[in-house]
Amino acid sequence: MTLWNDGSDSTASVSPDITDETNALPAKYFTDPAVHEMEKEKVFSRYWVYAGHANAIREPGEYFTRTIGGKQIIVVRDHDGEVRAFYNVCAHRGSKMVEDTPMTEPGNASSIRCPYHLWTYDLDGDLRSTPKSFEEAGMNPDLEDDDVRELDREANGLNEVELDTIGPLLFVNFDADPMSLEEQAGELKDELESFPLERYEHARRYVSEVECNWKTFSGNYSECDHCQANHQDWIKGISLKESELEVDDYYWVLHYTHDEGVEADESLIEGEARFYYFWPNFTLNMYGNADGYGTYIIDPIDEGRFQLIADYYFESPELTEEEERFVQLSRKLQEEDFELVERQYEGMRTGALAQGQLGPNEHTVHRLHRLAQEAYNA
C-alpha cells in the first residue's frame, strides 16, 4: 500500500514478501543526508565492492586509485604479480600519498612514496626507507642519535585492504572480519568465471553525474516494466515475454531474449542479454547481440547525486563500426534512464511520498530494498 506523508512517521520496514503491502523502502532512505553517511559504513564498508579490472594493471608496479564510501585505496600489482589494495594513507602522519589515478590511465611505480616526508613503501606494503631525519636527532637537543629507535618496517607498513577476485574483476572489503566474496557472490562467482572475461580489452569509458540517489538508479536498472514506454530502440530486438528476472541472495540477473544473437564463435552469450546486478552497486552486462560486455559502477556522491562509471570491453580496444554503434545505443539507453530517475527523484524530494509500493515483476527491486534495510539494521 502506498503511504503518503501526513506529518507522522507512518512507514514500516520492507516486508519479506513482495506481495505484502509494505514492500518498498521508505522514501526517507533515499533523501535523508544522514542515511548517506550511514551507508558509508553499513553498506560500503561491510560488503564486497567492485574496485576495478585486473587487465588495467598487467605489469608489476602498475596501479590505480579508487574511492569507496569516502575511503581511497591504491590497487597495485606487486613485484610477484599479485594484485593488492592499500589505503592511500601514509603510516607516518596520515598524508594522502599518490594522486587520483583512474583505472583507464594507470600509474607505474617501483615503490609507493609519500611526498610529505618521503616515507617509501615496497609494493607489498612494507616500509622500505625513511629519510635520515627519522634516523638521526640532529635538530633535537634533548635526544642523542643512539636513542632514536629503529622503525619496524613491517609494523609501520601500509594498511592493507582485503581484496579478492571473480575472474579479472577485483573486489575489496573494508570490514575487519568480512564474509568471504565466495559467500556473498554465491553461484554468481562460478557463473561469471565460466566466461572468458579476461580475454576482452577495455575499449570505452563514460562517466556521468546524475541527480538522484544511487538506489533510485539501481532500482530502475533492476526492472524492465518501464522499458516498453521509454526504451523503444532497446526493445526492438528483445522478446520481453520470453525474458525473466532471477533473484538470489546478493545478486539478481535480468535475462533478455534477443531475436537474433551474435554469430561470432567466441561470443560470451549468444541470443540472450544477461544483466547481472551484484549488491551493493556493481553491474555486468552481457548483451547477447554483441561479442563483449559492459560494467557499471553506481557510485554515491551524496544523498541526491551519484556517478555512473560505464566501461565497455571487446576483443580489441579498437572498435569496429558495428561495435561503436552498439556502444552508442547503450549510451542512449543510459541517458534515457538518467531522465527517468531524475524525474522520479524530483518527486521523492517533495516529501509527499512516505513509502511506495512495488509491482509483481519488481521482485528484483524488492530484493534491493530488503538488502538496504538489512544493512541499516545490522
Side-chain angles (χ1 to χ4, degrees):
M1 179 175 66
T2 301
L3 296 176
W4 297 107
N5 193 341
D6 58 3
S8 63
D9 189 15
S10 56
T11 59
S13 297
V14 184
S15 62
D17 191 333
I18 194 173
T19 62
D20 291 345
E21 289 185 345
T22 54
N23 64 5
L25 190 67
K28 64 183 179 182
Y29 291 108
F30 296 84
T31 59
D32 189 343
V35 172
H36 169 69
E37 293 301 318
M38 175 181 65
E39 288 178 338
K40 289 180 180 180
E41 295 304 318
K42 292 209 166 191
V43 175
F44 294 99
S45 294
R46 294 185 180 177
Y47 294 93
W48 289 93
V49 178
Y50 180 66
H53 202 290
N55 284 4
I57 48 173
R58 294 182 183 276
E59 301 299 325
E62 291 187 323
Y63 69 88
F64 61 87
T65 62
R66 174 95 162 83
T67 301
I68 299 169
K71 301 177 177 71
Q72 189 173 82
I73 59 173
I74 304 168
V75 181
V76 61
R77 192 173 292 274
D78 68 18
H79 291 300
D80 293 327
E82 297 296 318
V83 179
R84 311 179 76 145
F86 304 97
Y87 279 92
N88 189 12
V89 176
C90 181
H92 171 216
R93 281 164 55 190
S95 177
K96 176 179 176 178
M97 297 181 296
V98 305
E99 296 301 318
D100 296 358
T101 307
M103 183 189 79
T104 49
E105 300 175 36
N108 196 315
S110 60
S111 60
I112 299 171
R113 172 174 287 186
C114 178
Y116 194 6
H117 293 91
L118 304 184
W119 282 36
T120 303
Y121 304 88
D122 287 323
L123 299 182
D124 63 4
D126 287 353
L127 180 63
R128 175 191 291 184
S129 65
T130 58
K132 283 288 186 181
S133 59
F134 287 86
E135 301 170 8
E136 301 172 351
M139 297 182 69
N140 187 342
D142 299 322
L143 194 65
E144 298 293 330
D145 289 351
D146 291 343
D147 295 328
V148 177
R149 59 183 175 83
E150 184 178 353
L151 289 173
D152 184 316
R153 304 294 185 186
E154 185 174 350
N156 288 281
L158 297 179
N159 191 358
E160 190 160 9
V161 177
E162 292 282 345
L163 183 146
D164 205 345
T165 62
I166 297 178
L169 309 174
L170 308 172
F171 294 85
V172 294
N173 194 308
F174 297 99
D175 195 58
D177 185 25
M179 76 171 87
S180 67
L181 177 59
E182 185 175 12
E183 180 182 353
Q184 184 177 323
E187 294 181 3
L188 176 66
K189 180 174 169 64
D190 291 337
E191 184 168 334
L192 291 182
E193 289 183 341
S194 70
F195 300 112
L197 301 181
E198 67 283 348
R199 286 215 312 261
Y200 292 76
E201 301 291 332
H202 188 269
R204 290 287 186 277
R205 165 169 282 198
Y206 294 92
V207 180
S208 307
E209 185 174 311
V210 187
E211 294 186 0
C212 77
N213 185 268
W214 69 277
K215 298 183 296 298
T216 311
F217 183 84
S218 296
N220 178 84
Y221 175 93
S222 299
E223 52 89 1
C224 206
D225 281 1
H226 70 278
C227 293
Q228 191 75 43
N230 297 281
H231 298 317
Q232 292 300 314
D233 290 338
W234 162 247
I235 64 170
K236 283 179 181 177
I238 298 288
S239 301
L240 287 178
K241 291 183 178 180
E242 298 178 20
S243 301
E244 65 174 329
L245 307 179
E246 168 194 350
V247 181
D248 210 298
D249 288 343
Y250 293 100
Y251 73 90
W252 39 98
V253 190
L254 291 78
H255 298 264
Y256 297 124
T257 301
H258 276 281
D259 293 336
E260 293 183 4
V262 294
E263 297 180 358
D265 292 336
E266 296 181 350
S267 62
L268 293 170
I269 299 177
E270 184 172 350
E272 181 187 71
R274 294 186 190 176
F275 287 10
Y276 296 88
Y277 193 106
F278 184 41
W279 168 263
N281 67 330
F282 174 69
T283 81
L284 188 144
N285 301 345
M286 295 183 187
Y287 300 103
N289 60 348
D291 193 6
Y293 61 94
T295 64
Y296 290 174
I297 305 172
I298 307 167
D299 262 349
I301 299 172
D302 54 33
E303 75 283 355
R305 293 178 301 157
F306 78 92
Q307 186 179 69
L308 184 74
I309 304 173
D311 291 304
Y312 294 88
Y313 297 84
F314 292 92
E315 290 190 331
S316 169
E318 302 299 324
L319 298 187
T320 65
E321 290 184 7
E322 183 179 356
E323 289 169 340
E324 185 65 54
R325 284 194 299 271
F326 179 84
V327 170
Q328 294 310 313
L329 175 60
S330 175
R331 181 64 180 163
K332 182 175 183 292
L333 182 67
Q334 292 166 34
E335 291 173 344
E336 290 168 349
D337 281 334
F338 294 161
E339 181 180 353
L340 295 175
V341 296
E342 287 186 339
R343 183 186 299 119
Q344 180 190 358
Y345 197 67
E346 186 176 354
M348 295 180 75
R349 288 183 63 185
T350 66
L353 182 70
Q355 187 168 12
Q357 61 177 312
L358 303 173
N361 294 311
E362 294 176 323
H363 50 301
T364 44
V365 184
H366 179 253
R367 186 59 189 152
L368 172 75
H369 289 195
R370 285 279 294 166
L371 286 170
Q373 188 85 69
E374 289 169 9
Y376 303 156
N377 294 338

